[in-house]
Amino acid sequence: MRTEFSANLQHYNTFGFAVKAAELCHLETENDIEIFASQLDPDTPWRVLGGGSNIVLRDDLPGKTAIMALQGKKILEATDSTVLIEAAAGESWHDFVSWTLEQNCPGLENLALIPGTVGAAPIQNIGAYGLEIKDVFHSLKAYDRHTQSWRTLFAKDCHFAYRHSIFKEEPQRYLVASVTFALQKPWQVNLAYADVLQRFKDLPAQDIKPRMIFDAICEIRRSKLPDPQVLGNAGSFFHNPVVDEKTYLQLKERFPQLVAYANPKGWKLAAGWLIDQCAYKDYRRGQVGVYEKQALVLVHYGEGTGQELIQLAQEIQAAVQEKFGVTLSIEPSILP
Ligand SMILES: Cc1cc2nc3c(=O)[nH]c(=O)nc-3n(C[C@H](O)[C@H](O)[C@H](O)COP(=O)(O)OP(=O)(O)OC[C@H]3O[C@@H](n4cnc5c(N)ncnc54)[C@H](O)[C@@H]3O)c2cc1C
């Protein structure tokens, strides 16, 4: 296991905050995971990172920080109805999606261009353009710190919901080493999302190919979201809040333009719209701000701190609470 001390994390988080990790351990094998886990004691703070695209580094990280760097991917099994594909936790998610298409195994293309690693994808049940990990998930292999043994968790064990899983309920219990996906055959195009449907509406379904969906989604995403290589960000910073029918109707009466979608639990409000109405879109304070094209995305201009970003996020939360009576919750994990 390769270990660095007082390591700068600027290139390990997509906000680009230049904090230091007291001890940075690069986990490249399952054995490294076991060694890392065996070194943890109750007095040592620790955490595991993938690509750092869903975290805010507020300050230097004490204790031990693991970077999940396991590599490898393979087709495990293919029947007439399903293909099972396994990828190691440290693989880049986007590169993995692209590779599955090269292997003629479509089904993940709607999740193209989401930054981060394969191992982190189940943690918040990543989702975009009408698909969530839970829809294509078979199982994962994780080291369970409670039992100090390897476990296989299936979908029913993972408690998947919108941006949620058991890994959020029991943080720091599991270290995910690999994930297996079950892709259905024959492939069926997923045009659930309006922007994608619009692009393909004039084409007969049989003429639409998986790579066309992949390319379209990459193009749409690039037009809407800042590239973290250019402008630090973690994608959507707040969850879209879900409110009950009564609250929705009251809000709709007060704000007829309210953007909301029916949801099994009530109504999902567009958090970006709520923030926009509080005049925070394209707002900048020093080295942090709100993205000019999408109020849901907070950005870092290069010389700021996670603390400054959190302060701005709290101010936005307070403004939305005051105007709409709605609580916005923060999506990325705040460390330490
Ligand atoms: C431009 C941009 C667009 C985005 N768009 C989307 C989107 O459309 N949909 C979406 O759902 N998300 C989106 N995200 C958020 C992010 O890309 C995903 O949540 C991604 O899965 C995070 O992966 P990561 O490897 O960077 O995880 P990290 O940020 O490193 O970690 C995230 C969390 O997972 C835990 N973790 C990471 N790896 C492991 C592991 N192997 N075992 C156990 N725990 C682990 C960490 O401890 C942390 O709590 C976007 C982010 C950006 C920057």
Side-chain angles (χ1 to χ4, degrees):
M1 184 171 74
R2 189 162 62 88
T3 303
E4 295 173 76
F5 296 91
S6 196
N8 187 341
L9 293 180
Q10 187 164 22
H11 300 297
Y12 290 99
N13 72 106
T14 57
F15 269 118
F17 291 125
V19 305
K20 287 198 166 135
E23 195 176 331
L24 187 64
C25 306
H26 297 262
L27 309 186
E28 286 159 5
T29 63
E30 291 186 358
N31 194 38
D32 283 351
I33 295 181
E34 286 182 33
I35 294 170
F36 179 78
S38 72
Q39 291 176 347
L40 302 174
D41 61 65
D43 298 329
T44 308
W46 70 278
R47 74 289 306 165
V48 54
L49 302 183
S53 64
N54 212 14
I55 54 167
V56 181
L57 297 177
R58 185 165 41 182
D59 210 339
D60 289 346
L61 299 183
K64 289 173 179 283
T65 302
I67 292 284
M68 196 54 80
L70 278 73
Q71 299 292 305
K73 44 193 182 286
K74 57 177 182 263
I75 298 173
L76 294 179
E77 188 185 307
T79 67
D80 287 345
S81 60
T82 317
V83 186
L84 291 186
I85 303 188
E86 181 190 75
E91 288 282 341
S92 144
W93 172 260
H94 175 71
D95 292 350
F96 170 62
V97 174
S98 182
W99 177 83
T100 58
L101 295 186
E102 281 161 25
Q103 306 307 307
N104 200 18
C105 298
L108 298 176
E109 57 284 345
N110 287 50
L111 299 176
L113 214 63
I114 297 182
T117 54
V118 167
I123 306 299
Q124 75 154 358
N125 178 29
I126 58 168
Y129 296 91
L131 188 70
E132 290 182 333
I133 278 291
K134 70 170 175 48
D135 305 321
V136 284
F137 181 87
H138 177 270
S139 58
L140 60 75
K141 183 176 179 185
Y143 190 79
D144 180 352
R145 290 189 57 248
H146 286 190
T147 59
Q148 295 184 12
S149 62
W150 289 98
R151 276 188 61 186
T152 300
L153 278 78
F154 294 92
K156 65 175 171 29
D157 305 315
C158 291
H159 304 177
F160 288 128
Y162 168 67
R163 301 292 188 268
H164 181 80
S165 72
I166 189 167
F167 310 104
K168 298 230 157 185
E169 292 165 19
E170 299 188 64
Q172 300 206 314
R173 174 168 178 181
Y174 298 102
L175 291 114
V176 176
S178 61
V179 186
T180 300
F181 301 90
L183 306 179
Q184 300 309 312
K185 286 163 65 180
W187 176 72
Q188 289 201 330
V189 61
N190 178 347
L191 297 176
Y193 202 83
D195 283 6
V196 189
L197 179 63
Q198 179 62 24
R199 292 202 171 206
F200 293 97
K201 67 178 186 341
D202 297 329
L203 265 189
Q206 67 272 18
D207 290 351
I208 305 174
K209 305 292 177 228
R211 187 55 81 168
M212 292 159 71
I213 300 288
F214 176 93
D215 290 340
I217 283 177
C218 290
E219 206 182 305
I220 295 168
R221 291 183 68 98
R222 284 195 181 104
S223 72
K224 290 187 171 176
L225 291 169
D227 177 355
Q229 304 280 1
V230 179
L231 186 58
N233 76 95
S236 303
F237 199 86
F238 300 99
H239 291 131
N240 290 317
V242 176
V243 297
D244 60 27
E245 176 85 11
K246 188 172 159 217
T247 309
Y248 164 73
L249 290 173
Q250 285 169 349
L251 282 170
K252 189 76 183 164
E253 200 177 326
R254 282 174 58 210
F255 306 96
Q257 309 295 321
L258 182 73
V259 181
Y261 308 91
N263 170 284
K265 290 186 178 156
W267 288 84
K268 191 185 274 187
L269 310 182
W273 186 86
L274 300 175
I275 298 166
D276 200 3
Q277 297 307 302
C278 297
Y280 274 101
K281 195 180 193 173
D282 202 16
Y283 175 82
R284 177 169 179 166
R285 183 185 302 139
Q287 288 293 315
V288 297
V290 180
Y291 188 48
E292 57 181 340
K293 293 189 200 165
Q294 169 55 274
L296 200 48
V297 177
L298 300 198
V299 295
H300 171 223
Y301 295 98
E303 303 289 328
T305 64
Q307 192 62 50
E308 287 163 354
L309 191 93
I310 296 300
Q311 272 166 14
L312 176 60
Q314 287 169 343
E315 191 181 304
I316 292 171
Q317 284 175 311
V320 168
Q321 185 77 48
E322 191 181 321
K323 188 170 175 101
F324 299 100
V326 170
T327 305
L328 287 186
S329 62
I330 292 177
E331 182 179 304
S333 307
I334 297 169
L335 303 172

